[in-house]
Amino acid sequence: MSLRFHEIAESRHRILNPLTENKLRQLGEICRITPRTRHLDLACGKGEMLTLWSAQYGSQGVGVDISKVFLEAAQARAHEQEVADRVRFVEADAASYTDEPQSYDIVSCIGATWIGDGLAGTLDIMRRPLRPDGIALVGECYWVTPPPPEARTSLGVTEDTFTSLAGTAERFERAGFELLEMILASPDDWDRYVASQWWTLSDWLRDNPSDPEVAEIRTFLSRSRTSHLEYGRQHLGWGTFVVRQASDH
């Protein structure tokens, strides 16, 4: 799925993951944010996490993303929430973005562990700017039930891409992080994220019949419906995990 497809499919979303606003606010409470908190969000999308928390708690933040479309929406949201003086956005590849080492209380990567070719590599990227006693927030999929091979094919993942919920915790431990808390998506949360894209894509196809990518987007829409209804809703979970570096590392 190309970046442009993401930008089209999620054009009506503020939160680009199966995370509701209520759960995003709950996550902010869990993270014990204060006006002194510095937060770096890698692959920040439209920046809703940074702007919402800054408006609620007075925190400061930096969001990094490769999408100009998403970053323009993030900047507009920051002005809407009156936090543009505390939150800024950078157009860059989150995988190679550099900042002052060990300078952030929170480093997050929500639903984008592809930046490090998986969970372990992403945690290595997040570790650099994170203070030793800071917390990392990772949004990641996991298998609710063992999937058949055709489920992985339909969802476009390999056998090693995801593991069980317990296996995900083990991956954090192997990477030198301790799991502190988590907020998991419900099937309804998945529907609101995935299924709501279908209407957006359908409208786009009706409004742009001569676009050269119509056939590809129509195929993507069809596959999205099929993979979610046949496999995703039954087998695929998603969570935001709160972790910190283990004391023995």
Side-chain angles (χ1 to χ4, degrees):
M1 184 177 177
S2 71
L3 176 60
R4 183 165 183 254
F5 287 12
H6 276 290
E7 292 169 346
I8 294 170
E10 298 175 310
S11 60
R12 295 173 180 167
H13 288 55
R14 284 211 315 259
I15 302 171
L16 310 187
N17 287 288
L19 182 67
T20 65
E21 181 175 329
N22 285 341
K23 288 184 178 179
L24 183 56
R25 290 183 182 278
Q26 183 182 23
L27 182 61
E29 294 174 5
I30 288 170
C31 292
R32 306 173 186 178
I33 300 169
T34 74
R36 296 186 301 277
T37 299
R38 298 190 72 230
H39 180 181
L40 173 64
D41 191 14
L42 299 174
C44 67
K46 295 183 181 179
E48 187 67 13
M49 175 182 285
L50 287 171
T51 55
L52 183 68
W53 289 356
S54 184
Q56 187 167 0
Y57 300 107
S59 54
Q60 301 178 36
V62 176
V64 180
D65 206 279
I66 59 173
S67 170
K68 290 182 180 180
V69 172
F70 289 161
L71 291 176
E72 288 173 359
Q75 194 62 55
R77 185 66 169 155
H79 283 287
E80 180 182 327
Q81 296 270 45
E82 300 182 345
V83 297
D85 58 331
R86 295 196 295 270
V87 176
R88 65 184 178 91
F89 297 96
V90 179
E91 183 184 346
D93 184 348
S96 57
Y97 175 76
T98 58
D99 208 318
E100 184 180 352
Q102 300 185 353
S103 59
Y104 287 91
D105 305 289
I106 299 174
V107 176
S108 55
C109 180
I110 308 299
T113 54
W114 46 262
I115 70 169
D117 294 323
L119 184 56
T122 300
L123 288 168
D124 282 340
I125 293 171
M126 299 171 72
R127 195 192 315 264
R128 302 167 197 160
L130 184 64
R131 290 178 177 166
D133 59 347
I135 58 173
L137 308 178
V138 184
E140 181 74 328
C141 291
Y142 63 92
W143 296 120
V144 176
T145 58
E150 56 269 27
R152 290 191 289 268
T153 301
S154 179
L155 293 165
V157 298
T158 66
E159 186 174 355
D160 296 330
T161 303
F162 305 125
T163 182
S164 66
L165 187 57
T168 301
E170 291 174 359
R171 289 184 175 185
F172 282 120
E173 291 177 5
R174 287 198 300 269
F177 284 82
E178 176 188 9
L179 178 60
L180 301 176
E181 256 276 19
M182 65 184 186
I183 291 182
L184 303 182
S186 69
D188 287 343
D189 297 340
W190 265 119
D191 288 345
R192 298 283 51 74
Y193 173 61
V194 178
S196 63
Q197 294 180 33
W198 304 340
W199 196 332
T200 301
L201 289 165
S202 178
D203 282 351
W204 185 92
L205 288 167
R206 290 182 177 218
D207 294 340
N208 299 274
S210 60
D211 190 282
E213 292 186 300
V214 159
E216 291 179 75
I217 292 178
R218 194 180 305 279
T219 297
F220 167 72
L221 172 56
S222 177
R223 288 176 177 171
S224 174
R225 289 192 184 114
T226 300
S227 63
H228 180 66
L229 296 174
E230 286 189 348
Y231 303 110
R233 219 172 184 275
Q234 177 181 354
H235 297 287
L236 195 63
W238 190 90
T240 304
F241 302 93
V242 183
V243 301
R244 68 181 171 196
Q245 296 183 71
S247 58
D248 56 349
H249 281 72

